[in-house]
């Protein structure tokens, strides 16, 4: 582990700053779309950078690659198979939203690999991307919901926690807690 704990605050700051800076409600429509595009690129870039520069080995990088490629293949396959016009009339590839797929895949990867302290800001950014796609008339709500589901499922399926630490919420019979397991 070459300094991962040293760099995790930097990664957390990058995700949080990107998410908060571009989630302002003050953006005009075209600026909203542009800021959504920027966050759409920043989330996967941050996730991949964490695996390449801050982890020992290449396990995280390969998990990210499998999640990203599988999510994109499913999305592009559905876009090809389903002929749905975009709200702004710019094409017949509205379903599902690729921007949202990529963003939720990256957010889920970050959450699964590094925990909720990094995943929550990433999910805020991914939600902003989905919002920007609907508000910019590029997609319908169902398009971004489908994209979010595809991305989240790919990220969840292919990603293992870094350092083999699992945190599982427990809810039932009026009791709440966390189950934490791992190799220490």
């Amino acid at each position: 582990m070459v300094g991962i704990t040293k760099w995790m605050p930097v990664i957390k700051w990058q995700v949080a700053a990107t998410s908060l800076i571009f989630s302002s409600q003050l953006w005009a429509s075209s600026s909203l779309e542009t800021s959504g595009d920027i966050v759409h690129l920043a989330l996967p870039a941050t996730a991949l950078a964490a695996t390449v520069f801050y982890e020992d080995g290449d396990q995280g990088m390969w998990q990210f690659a499998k999640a990203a490629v599988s999510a994109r293949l499913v999305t592009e396959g559905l876009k090809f198979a389903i002929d749905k016009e975009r709200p702004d009339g710019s094409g017949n590839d509205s379903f599902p939203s690729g921007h949202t797929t990529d963003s939720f895949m990256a957010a889920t990867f970050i959450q699964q690999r590094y925990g909720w302290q990094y995943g929550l800001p990433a999910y805020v950014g991914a939600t902003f991307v989905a919002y920007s796609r609907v508000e910019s008339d590029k997609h319908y709500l169902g398009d971004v919901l489908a994209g979010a589901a595809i991305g989240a499922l790919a990220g969840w399926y292919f990603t293992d926690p870094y350092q083999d630490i699992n945190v599982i919420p427990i809810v039932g019979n009026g009791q709440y807690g966390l189950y934490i397991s791992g190799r220490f």
Side-chain angles (χ1 to χ4, degrees):
M1 195 168 51
V2 177
I4 186 78
T5 54
K6 174 183 167 187
W7 290 103
M8 282 309 230
V10 174
I11 296 168
K12 184 178 180 180
W13 179 84
Q14 284 178 317
V15 172
T18 302
S19 299
L20 294 175
I21 288 170
F22 294 109
S23 65
S24 172
Q25 296 276 337
L26 301 175
W27 297 94
S29 181
S30 63
S31 294
L32 178 69
E33 183 179 356
T34 301
S35 61
D37 290 345
I38 291 168
V39 176
H40 159 250
L41 296 173
L43 283 170
T46 300
L48 182 59
T51 66
V52 172
F53 297 111
Y54 305 122
E55 287 188 21
D56 283 337
D58 57 3
Q59 179 186 19
M61 180 183 62
W62 287 113
Q63 290 177 10
F64 176 84
K66 288 187 277 187
V69 169
S70 66
R72 187 42 85 162
L73 285 174
V74 169
T75 298
E76 292 304 321
L78 288 170
K79 283 180 175 290
F80 180 76
I82 298 170
D83 188 32
K84 183 177 180 187
E85 188 172 355
R86 290 178 180 263
D88 67 355
S90 65
N92 291 334
D93 59 348
S94 186
F95 184 85
S97 168
H99 280 65
T100 307
T101 298
D102 297 341
S103 299
F104 273 87
M105 179 282 303
T108 302
F109 176 86
I110 291 168
Q111 183 275 315
Q112 288 287 108
R113 192 96 178 130
Y114 307 113
W116 279 106
Q117 68 270 29
Y118 307 106
L120 187 59
Y123 278 121
V124 169
T127 302
F128 173 71
V129 171
Y131 169 77
S132 74
R133 301 306 287 168
V134 173
E135 281 298 308
S136 299
D137 280 336
K138 294 297 181 186
H139 291 285
Y140 297 100
L141 179 60
D143 302 338
V144 297
L145 291 175
I150 293 165
L153 285 171
W156 173 80
Y157 184 78
F158 288 106
T159 308
D160 295 325
Y162 187 66
Q163 297 180 335
D164 296 322
I165 296 174
N166 295 305
V167 179
I168 301 168
I170 301 170
V171 179
N173 297 330
Q175 296 184 357
Y176 307 92
L178 291 175
Y179 173 77
I180 302 172
S181 67
R183 291 185 278 177
F184 299 97

